[in-house]
Amino acid sequence: MTGEQRASEPPGAGGATQARGLPLHASVLTAARAGARIAALLAALLGALSLTGWIVDADALKSPLPGVEVSMKPNAALAVLTLGLSLFLVARRPVGGRTLAAARVAALPALLVGGLTVLEYLTGTGLGLDELLFDDDTAGVGTGEPGRMSPNTAAALTLGGAASLSASAPRAPAWTSQIPGLAVLALGMLRLYGAAYAVTELERFGPYTGMALHTAIALVLLGTAAFLARPDEDLAGLLMNAGTTGALGRRLFATVLVVPPLLGWGVLAGEDADLFGPRLGTAFLVGGHVAVFTAVVLAASAVGRRIEEAHARAEWQVRQNELLQAFMDHTPAVVFIKDLDGRFLAVNTTFEANTGLSRDQVIGLRDEDVLPPGLARQARAADLAMLALGTPVQREELLKLPEGERDVLSSLFPLNDANGEPYAVCGVITDITERVAAQREVQRARRRFLSLLESAPDATLITDGDGTIVMANAQVERLFGLAPGDLVGHDVVRLVPRARRRRHSALLSAYLRLRDPRPTVVDRELYGRHPDGSEFPVEVSVSRLQAEQETLVVLTVRDITERRLAEAARAERYEQHRHIAYTLQHSLMGDPPRLPHLPSAHRYLASVQDPGVGGDWFDVIPLGERRTGVIVGDVMGRGLEAAAVMGQMRAASHALARTGATPSRLMTALDAFVSDLADQLVTCVYLVMDQDADEVTLCSAGHLPVIALPPDGAARRLWTPVGVPLGVNDLGGGVPFEEATRPLPPGSTLVLYTDGLVERPGTDIEVQIDVLTHTLDLALKGAPADPELLDRAADRLITTLLPDPAAHDDDVTLLMIRVPGPEGEDAYG
């Protein structure tokens, strides 16, 4: 049934009866519709014969039944003809919109002619309708107005026209056409009973024209057609249902229509033959009715008992069906049950939501009535294939729906009766689009992961938390000589030399025990094993991966044999270069002379980031007459270039000091010397100690302050004007160097140093100088002038200011000079 056909039927056709629990029998419905069409056509034929008789003026056609003098009037013949055609069109299935419109138009003449005639009888006036078509020459046969049909005929035609209009209105209830149809049937039957029993009072009412016998037959046919025009609904549906009530109703209805008239006719025939009198005839009639209806009651009781039993079974089945339907409705999948012809017997709410059709609209339809054509053919083919196989079938398939493609998991299985024969097909369709998409994404991710794993340049192994290999790439075979497939399921320590396996396992276990292990690289004392048993150094990158409930470890292994050889060669070259640089550094800087009248201690630490050379230098220069020059300088930068500049500066400063130049003149001369060197910057401090005058004259070119520890006070910075570093005057010109003379009591200690000792990232250099001053106080205050004490004090300063000497990134110079007391003795000695 197509959507257009369903739209043309009255609402609830097929569904209204189903809603009342009355299943319809297809063969009974077909017979009822066919009977309605035949009855309508026969009635139309009687009307056409009578109308033809009026047209050709043939009395045999006006009154076709022998011995019947009353004819069917022209208006009645026309109304019967059109009404019969109208009911014939209504009784057809399916009914289109144009057919319904034609049926309504054909019903109007009967309704108008009959209604106007009834109005004439009621008002006693003539409306000019009676002889509108033909002059009535049969008026002498009856009474009343010529050409006017009998009042019971007019009423029957009015009711028939109304019944046909109601039957052609899809939205009108079926009983609005069935009850008028029964009334038309009753009016026709009364006339037939009058003829059968020779009761003229049933032929006409009062002094009016009587109903023709063939008109009565036509009315019986029209009433039957009107009643059966919609046989699957309301009153007709009660008689046409496939249950026992429908069968009982049809038998009772046939009994009512046949038995009472036959009993009445038999009694009247006996009375007319003088076989018995009216009283005995009445007794026979009553007794016959009692006997007949007793038999009917007994038969109905037996049927009722079977109905009760069937009803009990039906109630149980309904409860089971309700449970099944509830289960189906609460299932998120699409669930349906179809008979072997493909008609839907049950669907769930998910089916309704997906198709947009209610359950009542779907039940009884086939796939092609509910689904798109292509999907309907696919569904039917799947049903037939499953039935041919005889076993449940489950498969994944792609459905092309109007809203797009969907992946589904379809399950089809037969429902078998007690004999094992299938009587229905049940299907469960689950939408797995998202699951399939997720699986595809997982597969794509796995392929990408495998591609990434295989494209890695190093051997990569993935193990579980116990160290068992679960995956490996192709580079593993190149490195270890074993195929990846041969390694899966084995412990990863299989790739480690036997003597080293215990240590490797301990390292992996310790890593996994960390609360939040981060990816790390280990390349010390790790070795792999070749198939021949030889070992090679490796670098292992290890990281942990939490996959669902499983802990995985990713190991990336790289052979570092060449790196170790290169590192060894580089270390050897570095030591050679360092030795050369160290020799050069000491040859350039030399060792300051040790003066018996001036104890001193010095420390020089080369930067660990360079090959042991830098720009720091110091010098102690005897000037005669108990006068001594002391200089400390720092060439900016490190390496051989800084060392070369340092050597030139030391030689130049030593020569200038020997000439007796004052500190300021020496700085000015060195500044001119540095200005001739490209891109050089030097800090320097030069002082001249005069032990006879107990004073010191000093000049600073951007250098750190000298620390002095007098014999009678705390250590402090020795103030002096600080000039610009050497080499700056060439950039801006003319900043003079100033010198200052300060007292230098016997027993004093002077400390000169470079910035490598006090400069640290993230610390204030002034704070570090204060630390140096305080440490000097602690180390030498009140101590005798012992060269060993001076050496220990130098070590203490270095240890305090450089907690980790192996990590300093600048060269460090420290020079400590102790001025003896009178006549070479300590002032406190």
Side-chain angles (χ1 to χ4, degrees):
M1 185 180 297
T2 65
E4 181 182 354
Q5 294 167 351
R6 293 197 304 274
S8 65
E9 290 188 350
T17 309
Q18 294 287 345
R20 294 180 177 87
L22 301 177
L24 300 178
H25 199 289
S27 61
V28 174
L29 287 178
T30 303
R33 290 193 177 102
R37 293 196 297 271
I38 292 172
L41 282 177
L42 290 176
L45 180 60
L46 287 175
L49 288 175
S50 296
L51 190 59
T52 303
W54 284 99
I55 294 172
V56 300
D57 195 18
D59 293 337
L61 295 179
K62 295 178 184 178
S63 300
L65 297 178
V68 178
E69 297 179 353
V70 179
S71 62
M72 185 185 297
K73 301 301 181 182
N75 290 348
L78 177 62
V80 168
L81 172 61
T82 57
L83 185 57
L85 294 176
S86 175
L87 290 172
F88 173 78
L89 295 176
V90 171
R92 293 179 60 195
R93 285 293 184 273
V95 185
R98 293 182 180 180
T99 303
L100 288 178
R104 292 171 191 150
V105 172
L108 288 177
L111 182 62
L112 292 175
V113 172
L116 291 176
T117 303
V118 171
L119 183 61
E120 287 179 328
Y121 279 114
L122 293 176
T123 60
T125 60
L127 299 178
L129 297 173
D130 302 331
E131 293 185 297
L132 182 63
L133 297 177
F134 302 99
D135 292 334
D136 186 6
D137 56 358
T138 64
V141 178
T143 60
E145 297 294 330
R148 183 176 296 180
M149 67 184 75
S150 63
N152 46 352
T153 302
L157 291 176
T158 304
L159 291 172
S164 183
L165 287 176
S166 295
S168 64
R171 297 185 180 277
W175 60 266
T176 58
S177 62
Q178 292 169 355
I179 292 177
L182 290 176
V184 173
L185 175 63
L187 289 173
M189 290 298 297
L190 284 176
R191 173 65 179 89
L192 293 179
Y193 290 158
Y197 303 149
V199 179
T200 57
E201 289 82 1
L202 295 179
E203 178 184 346
R204 61 167 54 90
F205 297 91
Y208 302 113
T209 302
M211 180 188 294
L213 185 59
H214 52 293
T215 301
I217 296 175
L219 292 178
V220 170
L221 294 172
L222 292 174
T224 302
F227 181 76
L228 297 177
R230 288 158 67 171
D232 51 353
E233 301 178 60
D234 291 338
L235 301 178
L238 294 174
L239 296 178
M240 300 302 156
N241 74 83
T244 54
T245 56
L248 180 60
R250 290 191 292 273
R251 292 186 179 92
L252 290 177
F253 194 72
T255 302
V256 169
L257 290 179
V258 175
V259 172
L262 288 178
L263 289 175
W265 179 82
V267 169
L268 290 177
E271 291 178 354
D272 292 341
D274 294 329
L275 297 177
F276 44 79
R279 288 182 176 273
L280 184 57
T282 301
F284 283 151
L285 181 62
V286 172
H289 278 83
V290 169
V292 170
F293 283 105
T294 298
V296 170
V297 168
L298 292 175
S301 298
V303 172
R305 183 171 182 178
R306 291 197 298 272
I307 290 174
E308 289 178 352
E309 295 174 352
H311 181 69
R313 291 194 299 271
E315 285 185 342
W316 182 86
Q317 187 64 46
V318 165
R319 287 194 297 271
Q320 298 302 312
N321 291 342
E322 288 175 350
L323 292 175
L324 176 61
Q325 189 65 51
F327 171 77
M328 291 170 55
D329 288 341
H330 287 83
T331 301
V334 173
V335 182
F336 59 84
I337 299 175
K338 294 184 284 190
D339 63 17
L340 300 183
D341 293 330
R343 293 185 180 87
F344 285 98
L345 302 177
V347 296
N348 68 342
T349 52
T350 308
F351 186 99
E352 294 178 305
N354 279 270
T355 59
L357 298 174
S358 67
R359 186 173 296 135
D360 291 340
Q361 292 176 301
V362 172
I363 300 303
L365 301 183
R366 291 185 172 90
D367 290 320
E368 58 268 21
D369 303 324
V370 178
L371 305 176
L375 187 58
R377 289 191 295 271
Q378 183 179 352
R380 186 56 181 164
D383 293 346
L384 295 175
M386 186 276 296
L387 290 173
L389 188 62
T391 57
V393 175
Q394 185 179 72
R395 64 177 181 273
E396 291 186 11
E397 53 188 331
L398 181 66
L399 297 184
K400 296 182 179 180
L401 303 176
E403 60 271 17
E405 295 182 346
R406 307 295 292 180
D407 291 287
V408 299
L409 177 64
S410 62
S411 300
L412 293 175
F413 52 91
L415 300 179
N416 299 327
D417 57 19
N419 298 322
E421 295 295 327
Y423 66 87
V425 175
C426 184
V428 180
I429 309 296
T430 305
D431 190 337
I432 57 172
T433 303
E434 295 182 0
R435 188 181 77 186
V436 171
Q439 291 175 346
R440 290 171 181 164
E441 183 58 33
V442 169
Q443 293 172 356
R444 284 195 293 270
R446 179 176 177 83
R447 288 194 296 269
R448 289 195 295 267
F449 172 74
L450 292 177
S451 299
L452 180 63
L453 184 66
E454 293 300 331
S455 63
D458 299 320
T460 304
L461 302 109
I462 300 177
T463 73
D464 59 15
D466 298 327
T468 302
I469 300 172
V470 297
M471 189 177 297
N473 66 354
Q475 282 70 25
V476 169
E477 184 172 7
R478 176 182 56 81
L479 187 62
F480 294 101
L482 296 173
D486 297 336
L487 291 176
V488 174
H490 292 275
D491 199 309
V492 70
V493 296
R494 178 186 179 186
L495 303 175
V496 179
R498 189 177 301 277
R500 303 179 184 270
R501 289 179 182 179
R502 185 172 182 179
R503 180 176 181 273
H504 284 61
S505 298
L507 289 174
L508 181 59
S509 300
Y511 176 80
L512 292 175
R513 284 196 301 269
L514 296 176
R515 178 173 297 179
D516 186 20
R518 296 183 178 181
T520 185
V521 178
V522 182
D523 61 354
R524 293 184 179 181
E525 299 300 322
L526 295 183
Y527 293 87
R529 184 176 68 90
H530 288 303
D532 59 1
S534 61
E535 61 183 43
F536 56 94
V538 296
E539 174 188 87
V540 180
S541 300
V542 57
S543 60
R544 189 172 72 173
L545 174 64
Q546 193 68 33
E548 296 180 354
Q549 302 299 321
E550 184 181 14
T551 299
L552 299 178
V553 180
V554 181
L555 301 171
T556 302
V557 186
R558 176 178 297 177
D559 185 349
I560 57 173
T561 301
E562 294 182 1
R563 185 202 300 177
R564 287 285 185 260
L565 294 175
E567 288 175 352
R570 186 165 59 249
E572 183 178 358
R573 289 194 301 271
Y574 179 80
E575 287 301 323
Q576 293 175 353
H577 293 165
R578 184 178 179 84
H579 179 71
I580 294 171
Y582 184 79
T583 303
L584 175 63
Q585 174 85 12
H586 282 270
S587 65
L588 291 174
M589 188 168 64
D591 288 326
R594 291 189 175 275
L595 304 179
H597 63 278
L598 200 65
S600 64
H602 66 271
R603 297 289 185 271
Y604 175 78
L605 284 81
S607 169
V608 297
Q609 294 187 0
D610 298 290
V613 294
D616 288 5
W617 90 92
F618 67 93
D619 200 0
V620 179
I621 309 165
L623 301 178
E625 300 179 0
R626 291 172 60 83
R627 295 175 67 249
T628 307
V630 180
I631 188 168
V632 172
D634 184 2
V635 178
M636 298 301 174
R638 292 190 292 270
L640 293 175
E641 183 179 0
V645 174
M646 176 271 293
Q648 297 178 63
M649 294 296 296
R650 185 176 185 277
S653 62
H654 191 92
L656 288 170
R658 282 289 197 181
T659 65
T662 64
S664 59
R665 290 182 59 191
L666 184 141
M667 288 298 178
T668 302
L670 289 179
D671 183 49
F673 179 79
V674 173
S675 297
D676 292 336
L677 303 175
D679 299 326
Q680 294 296 331
L681 195 65
V682 181
T683 65
C684 181
V685 60
Y686 175 62
L687 57 88
V688 176
M689 294 188 297
D690 189 342
Q691 292 177 255
D692 291 334
D694 294 332
E695 62 182 14
V696 59
T697 302
L698 64 164
C699 181
S700 175
H703 203 76
L704 297 171
V706 177
I707 307 298
L709 176 63
D712 57 354
R716 65 181 181 274
R717 304 182 188 189
L718 192 62
W719 185 88
T720 183
V722 180
V724 296
L726 303 179
V728 172
N729 278 329
D730 183 56
L731 300 176
V735 179
F737 295 97
E738 301 180 12
E739 63 182 42
T741 302
R742 296 286 180 264
L744 186 66
S748 298
T749 302
L750 298 179
V751 177
L752 295 84
Y753 53 93
T754 58
D755 58 359
L757 182 66
V758 294
E759 191 174 40
R760 294 288 176 275
T763 61
D764 188 347
I765 193 171
E766 296 294 329
V767 174
Q768 292 293 98
I769 294 175
D770 290 341
V771 172
L772 174 62
T773 304
H774 179 67
T775 305
L776 178 64
D777 245 347
L778 297 177
L780 288 179
K781 189 173 183 179
D786 187 348
E788 292 185 3
L789 292 178
L790 206 60
D791 262 348
R792 287 199 292 269
D795 290 336
R796 183 171 181 177
L797 292 179
I798 291 293
T799 303
T800 302
L801 274 301
L802 297 176
D804 186 12
H808 68 283
D809 59 353
D810 196 4
D811 44 351
V812 176
T813 298
L814 172 65
L815 176 63
M816 300 179 66
I817 297 177
R818 184 73 175 265
V819 180
E823 297 180 0
E825 297 179 359
D826 188 87
Y828 299 94

